[in-house]
Amino acid sequence: MIVITGANGNLGQLVVKNLLQVIPANQIVAAVRNPEKSDNLRALGVEVREADYDRPETLVEAFKGAEKLLLISAVVPGERLRQHQAVIDAAKQAGVKFIAYTSMLRADTSSLNLAGEHQATEAYLKSAGIDYVLLRNGWYLENSTAVIAAALAQGTIIGSAGQGRFASATRADYAGAAVTVLTQPGHANKTYELAGNHAFSMVEFAEELSRQAGRPIVYKNLPPAEYEATLLGLGLPRMIVDVIVDADIKSSNGELDSSSRDLSQLLGRSTTPFSEAIRVALQS
Ligand SMILES: NC(=O)c1ccc[n+]([C@@H]2O[C@H](COP(=O)([O-])OP(=O)(O)OC[C@H]3O[C@@H](n4cnc5c(N)ncnc54)[C@H](OP(=O)(O)O)[C@@H]3O)[C@@H](O)[C@H]2O)c1
């Protein structure tokens, strides 16, 4: 049996749906913070169990009978290491034999502020004495397509990424890789640097969006302080703004770029190009 934590999130739901293509529903447990909001998962035929990273007493029970577990990283910076440790401790107690963890690209050397907790989680997991696999996910393509509606309204995309390149991939691609390592042999104690095959700068992203939308959209690079103030002015929470601005600044030094082909190798196909993600976003 395979347990997916954070299963009600965007990535978790995609993992559950992809897993159902490979193994029967009675072999899958969706572990969620809030079972009352999980009818969508129950409708897929999988068992839903409560597993709140902040309530360790729910975790051992949720992981009972599991052979493998996918730990989808938690959300709130500063809280995450403690939460991940609670999941790993509970998995050990429940007798889980294999933990896959969604880390971040080059977590061991990355200068992104997000890297520290991933690094510490990886170290904790490695010392737990359970087979593991590190899925070092790169940036989501959806982080870029999320700005399309505003870009169409305003004719600009703003950021502080400069010429930085994003080797992003869709959540669906990362979910596919997770399913491969959870269901195929040979991945124990491996580390995968997962990134898209088709890196782009935000200038190129804006050019492709212009081409597909049939109207001019330009990328406007802002000094980080101005970008930060603009995002805060739009009402985005400070926690999110800090992550976005830090990532943009560091991307200009290549931190979100990668030539790794681990993701396409795990998928057995090329990753989704940004032009395709734009096409899908424009249709929705
Ligand atoms: N690579 C990237 O570009 C990128 C971007 C954003 C996030 N991430 C990371 O990737 C993870 C998965 O991405 P996503 O798009 O699926 O994020 P998401 O849609 O926000 O889902 C996160 C899930 O974590 C659950 N969660 C939060 N706190 C929890 C707790 N205390 N106990 C149990 N579950 C908890 C949430 O539960 P509820 O449904 O109850 O809220 C939600 O289902 C994120 O959590 C984050 O670590 C990566």
Side-chain angles (χ1 to χ4, degrees):
M1 186 221 289
I2 300 176
V3 175
I4 312 302
T5 73
N8 221 357
N10 290 295
L11 182 66
Q13 294 198 39
L14 287 165
V15 171
V16 170
K17 284 176 190 157
N18 277 279
L19 263 180
L20 283 165
Q21 310 295 315
V22 186
I23 60 173
N26 65 9
Q27 292 298 304
I28 303 169
V29 168
V32 301
R33 170 161 60 177
N34 192 342
E36 276 105 69
K37 289 192 192 155
S38 304
D39 286 347
N40 48 341
L41 289 162
R42 278 189 209 91
L44 296 172
V46 303
E47 185 184 347
V48 172
R49 294 183 186 169
E50 181 180 14
D52 185 337
Y53 302 156
D54 288 326
R55 294 175 51 234
E57 68 275 15
T58 63
L59 299 174
V60 179
E61 203 56 37
F63 303 159
K64 270 196 183 141
E67 185 200 347
K68 298 178 184 177
L69 181 134
L70 174 65
L71 166 51
I72 292 188
S73 49
V75 178
V76 182
E79 305 289 325
R80 304 206 288 178
L81 176 59
R82 174 186 54 75
Q83 294 175 324
H84 298 161
Q85 287 173 333
V87 171
I88 294 164
D89 290 347
K92 208 169 161 176
Q93 210 180 317
V96 172
K97 300 279 181 292
F98 178 97
I99 299 179
Y101 169 62
T102 63
S103 184
M104 64 170 277
L105 193 63
R106 297 187 293 271
D108 51 343
T109 57
S110 173
S111 68
L112 259 68
N113 292 345
L114 290 173
E117 283 179 297
H118 285 297
Q119 223 175 74
T121 302
E122 289 188 357
Y124 195 79
L125 178 54
K126 283 181 175 179
S127 67
I130 301 175
D131 279 345
Y132 64 86
V133 59
L134 303 179
L135 297 166
R136 288 183 171 167
N137 289 350
W139 225 225
Y140 294 159
L141 249 175
E142 288 86 348
N143 298 342
S144 301
T145 54
V147 306
I148 285 180
L152 292 175
Q154 289 150 16
T156 53
I157 296 175
I158 58 167
S160 296
Q163 293 299 315
R165 300 189 75 73
F166 293 76
S168 306
T170 59
R171 285 190 183 92
D173 284 346
Y174 294 119
V179 168
T180 300
V181 303
L182 287 167
T183 57
Q184 304 291 324
H187 300 291
N189 308 323
K190 299 262 173 73
T191 297
Y192 295 111
E193 301 289 353
L194 302 178
N197 297 22
H198 315 274
F200 56 88
S201 69
M202 288 312 294
V203 171
E204 290 165 351
F205 187 91
E207 283 169 359
E208 177 62 20
L209 179 58
S210 303
R211 195 185 66 74
Q212 291 197 31
R215 63 181 115 148
I217 291 149
V218 295
Y219 176 65
K220 190 173 170 196
N221 203 56
L222 300 177
E226 194 180 332
Y227 185 36
E228 178 184 313
T230 306
L231 294 178
L232 288 171
L234 291 170
L236 266 74
R238 159 64 68 184
M239 179 187 92
I240 306 281
V241 172
D242 286 349
V243 170
I244 294 174
V245 175
D246 178 64
D248 251 33
I249 296 168
K250 312 273 171 69
S251 76
S252 59
N253 299 325
E255 288 285 20
L256 295 175
D257 197 5
S258 172
S259 57
S260 170
R261 292 294 171 259
D262 287 355
L263 180 53
S264 51
Q265 277 160 18
L266 289 174
L267 289 170
R269 59 167 170 80
S270 189
T271 62
T272 308
F274 69 97
S275 55
E276 173 62 12
I278 289 174
R279 192 188 66 77
V280 170
L282 284 174
Q283 278 179 349
S284 62

